[in-house]
């Protein structure tokens, strides 16, 4: 098993892809990010694909079951660390969330639940057991940021503030980003939030987006497209932040890559 350092409560600790073609997705992401693979046996002969670099976990992948009620298309899911997932689910429910999956144990790895916030975005909460989550952040090929896209930023800010104690800090960013919210957990940013714009179309649903750090944004985009991905929007440079691009993998799961400005 790869290294899984602890993550503070209220911080993003894990990301996983639900894919309609597990084998194809495994091939795409290992080639794109130079990830190694560990296959963990699951029920009925299925496996849970865990990715890592240098012996440290980066993300995971599983085969989505299209027969399940309300099955979602290919998408990245996010996990937020908590010390008590049962208490967190109760609090989320009181704050207006919909509980999609009550807390349950994942062998000895930990305990989790799946909820949908009042604005429609789905996320998981994770109470660590043997597995605390990703082993690296903000390095090449690793998770570096999670961002909420929603049509009701006010309700979202109130919900996540009540659930995780995040403080919403708004700032005007250079065009085309505009107003951007950083969720602060103490002195550190836990994640971000943007309003879904009308010009993006009705197909954009509220979601928690995942960003992966890369050494060269444009080279990564070129490689991803060569592997069958689609570029969703031209690469953008955000002063003092970095250069990023939105992509959809060959099965349509959206994610972003960013070359962060060195600090």
């Amino acid at each position: 098993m790869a290294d899984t350092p602890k993550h503070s409560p209220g911080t993003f600790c894990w990301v996983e892809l639900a894919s309609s073609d597990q084998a194809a997705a495994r091939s795409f992401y290992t080639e794109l990010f130079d990830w190694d693979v560990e296959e963990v046996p699951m029920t009925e002969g299925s496996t849970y694909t865990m990715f890592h670099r240098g012996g440290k976990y980066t993300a995971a992948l599983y085969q989505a079951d299209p027969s399940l009620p309300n099955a979602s298309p290919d998408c990245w899911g996010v996990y937020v660390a908590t010390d008590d997932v049962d208490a967190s689910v109760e609090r989320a429910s009181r704050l207006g969330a919909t509980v999609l999956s009550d807390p349950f144990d994942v062998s000895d790895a930990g305990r989790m639940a799946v909820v949908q916030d009042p604005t429609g975005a789905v996320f998981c909460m994770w109470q660590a057991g043997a597995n605390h989550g990703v082993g690296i952040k903000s390095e090449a090929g690793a998770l570096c940021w999670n961002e909420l896209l929603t049509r009701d930023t006010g309700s979202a800010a109130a919900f996540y503030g009540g659930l995780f104690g995040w403080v919403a800090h708004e700032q005007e960013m250079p065009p085309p980003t505009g107003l951007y919210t950083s969720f602060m957990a103490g002195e550190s940013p836990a994640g971000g939030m943007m309003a879904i714009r009308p010009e993006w179309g009705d197909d954009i649903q509220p979601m928690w987006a995942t960003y992966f750090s890369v050494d060269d944004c444009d080279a990564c985009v070129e490689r991803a497209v060569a592997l069958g991905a689609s570029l969703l929007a031209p690469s953008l440079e955000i002063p003092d932040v970095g250069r990023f691009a939105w992509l959809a993998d060959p099965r349509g799961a959206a994610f972003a890559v960013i070359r962060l400005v060195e600090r």
Side-chain angles (χ1 to χ4, degrees):
M1 176 181 288
D3 188 25
T4 61
K6 292 184 179 181
H7 296 272
S8 300
T11 62
F12 288 92
C13 62
W14 192 245
V15 288
E16 68 181 7
L17 176 66
S19 177
S20 55
D21 190 335
Q22 185 174 1
R26 180 171 57 240
S27 176
F28 172 79
Y29 287 100
T30 53
E31 291 190 56
L32 182 63
F33 293 131
D34 194 28
W35 286 343
D36 295 317
V37 171
E38 175 186 338
E39 296 290 358
V40 179
M42 296 175 66
T43 58
E44 299 179 357
S46 62
T47 61
Y48 187 69
T49 302
M50 301 183 75
F51 297 114
H52 52 88
R53 278 180 72 137
K56 296 181 179 180
Y57 286 129
T58 55
L61 158 71
Y62 66 93
Q63 178 73 37
D65 185 351
S67 68
L68 292 177
N70 302 317
S72 299
D74 290 47
C75 62
W76 280 95
V78 303
Y79 286 68
V80 182
T82 176
D83 284 337
D84 187 334
V85 70
D86 295 81
S88 293
V89 166
E90 290 182 9
R91 185 161 59 250
S93 183
R94 291 197 304 269
L95 291 167
T98 300
V99 180
L100 302 180
S101 177
D102 289 324
F104 63 94
D105 292 326
V106 184
S107 63
D108 66 342
R111 186 167 173 82
M112 67 171 286
V114 185
V115 301
Q116 184 177 48
D117 76 21
T119 78
V122 175
F123 65 100
C124 302
M125 290 186 283
W126 181 254
Q127 179 182 334
N131 191 322
H132 292 270
V134 296
I136 50 174
K137 279 187 176 182
S138 301
E139 298 180 19
L143 171 69
C144 66
W145 190 243
N146 293 102
E147 181 176 271
L148 176 64
L149 304 179
T150 179
R151 290 185 172 84
D152 190 343
T153 56
S155 293
F159 171 77
Y160 289 102
L163 181 59
F164 297 126
W166 293 347
V167 176
H169 174 69
E170 294 183 343
Q171 60 185 120
E172 193 68 32
M173 300 291 284
T177 302
L179 187 65
Y180 191 85
T181 300
S182 293
F183 286 122
M184 303 300 294
E187 298 297 319
S188 302
M193 177 171 65
M194 286 185 63
I196 297 173
R197 300 175 184 172
E199 61 266 26
W200 292 355
D202 295 334
D203 291 339
I204 303 297
Q205 298 301 311
M207 62 176 288
W208 274 102
T210 294
Y211 284 67
F212 294 103
S213 179
V214 295
D215 289 329
D216 186 323
C217 177
D218 296 299
C220 183
V221 167
E222 183 178 352
R223 186 178 185 185
V225 171
L227 291 169
S230 301
L231 181 61
L232 299 179
S235 301
L236 289 174
E237 191 87 29
I238 303 295
D240 299 322
V241 176
R243 184 171 179 81
F244 75 98
W246 277 96
L247 294 158
D249 73 19
R251 304 299 295 180
F255 65 100
V257 295
I258 183 167
R259 175 190 55 78
L260 295 167
V261 170
E262 293 186 8
R263 302 292 183 181

